[in-house]
Amino acid sequence: MNYVLKDRYPEEVFRYFEEISAIPRGSGNEKGIADYLCAFASEKGLRFVRDALHNVAIFKAASAGRENEPAVMLQGHTDMVCEKNGDTVHDFEKDGIKLILGEDGWLRADGTTLGGDDGFAVATMLAILSDDSLSHPALECLFTVQEETGLGGASEFDYSVLSARKIINLDTEDEGTAVASCAGSMNLTFTLQADTVPFAGNILKLSLLGLSGGHSGTDIDKGRANSIRLMGRVLNMLYRKQPFNLISLSGGNKRNAIPRECEAIISVQDAEGAIVYARELVGQIRAEMSSSDAGLHLKTGKAPKPETMFTYKDTSRVLSFLALIPNGVIAMSNSKEGLVETSSNLGVVRTEGNKIDFSVYARSSVEPSMDYTLCMMERVEKVTGLQMTFEDRAPGWAFNPKSELQKQFVQCYEALYGKEGKVEAIHAGLECGIILEKMGGDAIAIGPDMRDIHTPDERLNLDSVRRLYRLVVKMLAE
C-alpha cells in the first residue's frame, strides 16, 4: 500500500494506523480487522483468543526480569463510526479510509470519519506488541467490537481468559488528561406500525442540512442542534398551520452521534404555501443556532408518489413523539462543575413502508437518574402509542480516589513533558465500566488530541499520538 505518513512519521504506530485504515471496520463489520489482528499475532508468535463476535485478545509475555509482576491490560475497540458528507462517494462496507495529512500535523479523512476513534488504540497496541526492546510486565491487549453501537463487544467477552487488574484504556481524545470516571448508557428503540390510507394530495420533500453534529457524549453540552428534533419542530409548527400526512422520515446514522441531516416526505394540500412557511421557520431557527450550526439550510423538492401515506392520527403520533422525547442535556452534575450528569440523544430515524423506528441513546453517571430517564421514556411510550424496546444498559464507572494508575499517569506525564497531567470524569461512555464490573481492578483512559469525532471533520493530531505512545511505553516500563 502507499503510506501517507512514513516520511514525516516513521514510527511503527503510524504504519499500523495506516494499515488498519485500509480495512473497513464499521460497527458490526469487524471480521476483517479481527482477521488482520489474528494474522499479526500468528506472525509474531503471540498467543491470541478470538470469540464469535470478533473480539480479540493478544497476549505477550513479560520482558526479562519482570516475569513475577502482575499483568497489565491495554484496551481499545476496533470499530468506528461511519459518517460521510452527502456528496462523498464511499462504501464503508468495502472501502478503506482515504487519509489526508495536513501541513498542520493533523490527519483527516477525505469526506468521511477518520477512525482515530479508536484506531489510535489498535495501532498503539500493535506497535507495543511488535517491539521486543520494550520493558513491560505481561501484556493482555484486548481489542473489542461494537463499542460505538452500545458497548456490545465488551459486554459479551469472556473475561475468564484474562488476569490483569490494571487496565489502560486508549479511547479518549484529550492529551494530558486521564479519564477516571464515565457515564453509563442505555439503548432504546421506539417503533410505530402506522395505519395508512391511499395517497392523495401533493407530495413534498423537506431536507434539513448543514449541521455540525458531533459525539452524543462529549459534545452534548455544546449546544449543537439535532437535525431530527429540528425537523420535528418544523413539522409540528407546519401541522398546526396546515395538517398533512407523513409518508417517511429519515435522519442520522448512529444513535450515539448527534444527527446532522434529516429528510421528511409528506403529503400536503398547498405545497407552495408549506414551502414558504417551512423556509420562514428554518430562518427563525437559524437565528437561534450557535456558530457551529450556522450552515443550517432547508432544501425542498419532490419525490416519487407512494401508494399510501400515514393517517392523520399516526402522523400526529409521530409529531408528538418528536416534541416530547427527552433530548440533549437532562441534568448537570452537582458534584463536579461543568460535567453533564444525564443526557439523551435521538440519533436515528428510519421509515420502511408503514413502519417507523427511532433510536435513542441515553447516558448518566448516576444510576437513579438513569432510572428516572427510563421512566420518562416509558411515559412517552404511553402518551404517543409508539412501542418502546429496551435493548441494553451499560454500567457507569465510579471514580476511585485511591487509584495507583491515576498517580502514575500524572507522574509520568510530568516527567516526560514538564506539565502536570489532569484526571477528570467525562459524560461519554467507555468500556471501562463494563470491564471493571466483570473483573474489578484499577483503570484509567487516555488518548491523543482528536477533534470532531463521529463527524466527517474528525481529525487526529499526530505529534500528540507520538507523545501518548511514549507515555504508555513509560508507564509500562515503570
Side-chain angles (χ1 to χ4, degrees):
M1 61 180 293
N2 293 321
Y3 291 97
V4 174
L5 305 177
K6 68 176 183 178
D7 292 335
R8 287 172 57 185
Y9 298 91
E11 295 92 336
E12 287 289 272
V13 63
F14 299 107
R15 178 173 72 86
Y16 285 119
F17 186 85
E18 291 206 62
E19 289 187 3
I20 66 172
S21 295
I23 303 171
R25 51 191 174 89
S27 301
N29 185 34
E30 297 98 344
K31 180 182 182 300
I33 186 67
D35 290 344
Y36 172 90
L37 294 173
C38 294
F40 165 89
S42 296
E43 179 185 341
K44 300 293 183 181
L46 301 174
R47 182 170 69 90
F48 67 90
V49 172
R50 176 179 184 169
D51 67 15
L53 287 179
H54 304 304
N55 292 304
V56 176
I58 301 178
F59 304 84
K60 187 172 185 178
S63 55
R66 305 189 66 181
E67 294 86 355
N68 295 325
E69 296 180 32
V72 172
M73 182 195 299
L74 301 179
Q75 188 269 323
H77 60 89
T78 57
D79 62 316
M80 62 175 282
V81 167
C82 297
E83 287 271 342
K84 64 179 181 178
N85 291 323
D87 58 353
T88 297
V89 178
H90 187 93
D91 185 346
F92 284 105
E93 293 291 316
K94 301 177 182 178
D95 301 334
I97 301 300
K98 299 176 183 177
L99 303 178
I100 300 176
L101 175 59
E103 292 300 319
D104 56 1
W106 288 81
L107 187 68
R108 300 168 175 81
D110 187 7
T112 71
T113 38
L114 173 65
D117 173 20
D118 197 16
F120 161 75
V122 178
T124 296
M125 288 189 278
L126 292 176
I128 288 172
L129 288 168
S130 67
D131 191 344
D132 293 332
S133 71
L134 300 179
S135 173
H136 56 76
L139 296 179
E140 299 177 348
C141 293
L142 177 59
F143 305 81
T144 51
V145 300
Q146 300 175 25
E147 190 271 350
E148 300 290 6
T149 53
L151 312 180
S155 296
E156 298 299 323
F157 187 71
D158 178 5
Y159 291 91
S160 66
V161 302
L162 303 175
S163 64
R165 295 299 182 266
K166 287 189 176 181
I167 302 155
I168 302 176
N169 168 281
L170 302 167
D171 189 18
T172 67
E173 57 268 3
D174 285 301
E175 184 200 339
T177 299
V179 173
S181 176
C182 73
S185 63
M186 63 180 175
N187 283 299
L188 306 166
T189 298
F190 290 83
T191 302
L192 176 65
Q193 293 281 357
D195 291 331
T196 61
V197 293
F199 174 79
N202 297 297
I203 200 162
L204 175 61
K205 180 167 69 174
L206 303 172
S207 301
L208 289 178
L209 309 166
L211 297 175
S212 59
H215 189 289
S216 70
T218 56
D219 296 324
I220 201 71
D221 61 339
K222 293 181 172 59
R224 298 182 181 180
N226 181 308
S227 63
I228 301 173
R229 285 279 288 197
L230 282 190
M231 183 62 80
R233 177 173 170 178
V234 171
L235 294 178
N236 269 290
M237 295 298 290
L238 179 59
Y239 196 83
R240 290 177 68 195
K241 192 176 185 68
Q242 181 188 163
F244 57 80
N245 298 86
L246 181 67
I247 296 169
S248 70
L249 184 66
S250 62
N253 289 307
K254 302 294 179 184
R255 68 177 72 219
N256 62 345
I258 301 171
R260 300 177 297 115
E261 300 178 355
C262 188
E263 176 189 283
I265 300 177
I266 61 177
S267 173
V268 295
Q269 296 302 311
D270 178 10
E272 289 303 318
I275 290 172
V276 170
Y277 187 55
R279 286 176 176 165
E280 177 184 334
L281 289 169
V282 172
Q284 295 170 356
I285 294 169
R286 189 186 300 111
E288 303 170 11
M289 294 292 96
S290 65
S291 58
S292 61
D293 286 323
L296 170 67
H297 62 279
L298 173 70
K299 183 178 179 181
T300 64
K302 296 183 178 181
K305 291 183 179 180
E307 293 183 0
T308 62
M309 56 189 181
F310 288 20
T311 61
Y312 280 129
K313 180 179 180 180
D314 282 348
T315 295
S316 182
R317 283 180 173 176
V318 171
L319 298 184
S320 294
F321 174 84
L322 291 169
L324 298 175
I325 188 71
N327 187 78
V329 175
I330 296 174
M332 299 296 292
S333 173
N334 290 320
S335 59
K336 183 173 178 57
E337 185 177 356
L339 176 67
V340 178
E341 177 186 279
T342 307
S343 73
S344 175
N345 182 62
L346 175 55
V348 183
V349 58
R350 291 286 182 270
T351 307
E352 294 184 10
N354 68 328
K355 177 187 173 187
I356 187 165
D357 288 314
F358 296 91
S359 298
V360 178
Y361 195 76
R363 307 174 190 263
S364 183
S365 53
V366 178
E367 290 300 298
S369 184
M370 183 70 93
D371 292 339
Y372 184 59
T373 300
L374 178 59
C375 179
M376 288 191 287
M377 301 292 183
E378 290 170 344
R379 299 317 302 175
V380 171
E381 177 188 31
K382 296 283 188 182
V383 170
T384 63
L386 276 71
Q387 180 180 357
M388 185 184 80
T389 303
F390 182 88
E391 298 181 19
D392 56 62
R393 181 167 172 172
W397 167 22
F399 184 80
N400 176 11
K402 299 180 180 180
S403 166
E404 294 181 7
L405 281 175
Q406 292 177 30
K407 295 176 184 177
Q408 188 185 15
F409 163 78
V410 171
Q411 292 167 357
C412 288
Y413 193 82
E414 185 170 11
L416 281 172
Y417 305 118
K419 296 183 289 185
E420 184 177 355
K422 298 183 292 184
V423 177
E424 292 186 353
I426 62 168
H427 185 58
L430 291 169
E431 293 159 301
C432 297
I434 293 172
I435 296 172
L436 291 172
E437 183 184 54
K438 303 277 189 180
M439 298 185 62
D442 186 14
I444 60 169
I446 57 177
D449 285 334
M450 283 187 276
R451 299 293 179 264
D452 295 315
I453 62 172
H454 295 189
T455 81
D457 295 323
E458 180 185 357
R459 56 197 186 279
L460 171 66
N461 185 278
L462 298 181
D463 288 332
S464 179
V465 170
R466 275 177 168 155
R467 291 189 292 269
L468 259 293
Y469 178 78
R470 292 168 188 161
L471 174 70
V472 176
V473 169
K474 182 174 179 62
M475 290 182 68
L476 293 174
E478 295 188 3

